[in-house]
Amino acid sequence: MVNFILADNQELTAYALKTLIREHESATLHHVTDKEQLLKQLQADEKSIVIIDYTLFNIQDEEQLLIIIERFPKALWIMTSDDLTVSLMRKLVYTVRHVSIVFKDSPLKLFHHAIEYAMRGERYLCQRAAEVLICQQADEELHSKVLTHTEIEILRGVAQGKTTKEIAYERYSSIHTVNTHKKNIFRKLQVNTAHEAVKYAFRAGLVDPSEFYI
């Protein structure tokens, strides 16, 4: 038998989820209405499948939710809230790993999928959740390549053929500081030499090739 704990106080959603769970003959169901009842049921069966919208419970915040999840590592969790932040989803997906995510406005078949996956001991992410996480990662990778104003100015100096010592003198900085900036520029642009960095800057429009030379 697979024990389900339904932790959702939205009546229509709870009714629909109860109907889906009862389609499985091997499933038992306990509907809880607050954190205390949830913990009691988890203590009774730590291997339960929990379907939860924590925002409708007396769970204080994301950190308290994560503490509860970590306290019961044998349980499988299906998050159904529409109010999951990107940071929480990342923690659930990349750190916890035994949590599924299905937004409440998802088609009914996705809830079917999440329940079936959980009964097999597997995690399920709806397409929207996966897309949110992929887009967030892409944005972070893009921003990690964005040069600061200081880095662009140093790259301009390199394009003008100035030495590290000359750039440091003009900026009232140490040679060590300028070298650190240059290393960060190379890392962000994924290049290995000053020549490659300047060519990349020209192509990206960070500097005007009519003003400088390589």
Side-chain angles (χ1 to χ4, degrees), residues 16-17 20 105-113:
L17 290 171
L20 291 178
D105 60 355
S106 299
L108 190 62
K109 65 179 181 180
L110 299 190
F111 288 92
H112 270 293
H113 295 334

Side-chain angles (χ1 to χ4, degrees), residues 7-38:
D8 192 322
N9 286 328
Q10 192 173 57
E11 291 186 6
L12 187 58
T13 304
Y15 179 82
L17 290 171
K18 286 178 183 178
T19 302
L20 291 178
I21 294 169
R22 286 168 178 159
E23 291 179 358
H24 300 275
E25 296 181 357
S26 61
T28 59
L29 173 63
H30 295 87
H31 186 195
V32 298
T33 58
D34 58 36
K35 181 182 67 178
E36 288 70 29
Q37 292 180 11
L38 171 62

Side-chain angles (χ1 to χ4, degrees), residues 35 38 52 54-55 57-62 64-65 68:
K35 181 182 67 178
L38 171 62
I52 182 171
Y54 86 98
T55 61
F57 262 58
N58 57 334
I59 294 177
Q60 295 178 359
D61 51 29
E62 295 179 357
Q64 189 175 74
L65 172 67
I68 294 173

